[in-house]
Amino acid sequence: MSAFPMGIEHVVFFAVLGVLLLGWMTSILLYMKNLNTLKTKYPKLFESLGRPRIFSTNKASNLKVRQFFRDGAYRKLNDPDLEKQINLQKTFNTLLFVFISVWILLLFFGRMFL
């Protein structure tokens, strides 16, 4: 059972799926931009992080980059542009997570709320 009128469930489902796909692609592009900025402006830091890539199987490098972003170590670089980029990515990923969570709640429990 769905919270939407009959016949429109599929349209809404695929529209939201399209938005999720665009959100995922945007998140990857923001991450790519951040890595590229690190690579060009801070090559030694980029090397110390294990030369991270977008789709990498190097778990150690991925963990270093996540920790670098999460702990706010990038703030020590005193680069307002990089800080702005990383904060944008963090905000976008948080909003995407909230959107996905609300969508899942509505998808499975929509009749209870509407």
Side-chain angles (χ1 to χ4, degrees), residues 20-76:
L20 290 175
L21 181 63
L22 286 174
W24 177 71
M25 289 170 48
T26 303
S27 180
I28 288 175
L29 289 174
L30 289 170
Y31 184 65
M32 239 169 66
K33 186 176 180 182
N34 290 335
L35 289 183
N36 191 41
T37 301
L38 285 175
K39 185 178 181 179
T40 55
K41 285 188 172 181
Y42 308 99
K44 288 181 183 176
L45 174 64
F46 187 76
E47 289 290 329
S48 73
L49 292 172
R51 300 185 53 84
R53 295 180 305 169
I54 300 300
F55 299 108
S56 174
T57 57
N58 185 351
K59 290 182 183 181
S61 176
N62 290 339
L63 289 174
K64 284 181 186 177
V65 173
R66 272 193 252 156
Q67 187 175 8
F68 178 76
F69 288 160
R70 186 185 60 234
D71 295 345
Y74 58 89
R75 290 187 182 103
K76 294 176 186 171

Side-chain angles (χ1 to χ4, degrees), residues 1-4 104-114:
M1 297 218 121
S2 172
F4 302 107
I104 288 172
L105 281 174
L106 283 176
L107 188 66
F108 291 108
F109 305 108
R111 289 281 182 194
M112 287 189 242
F113 299 124
L114 301 176

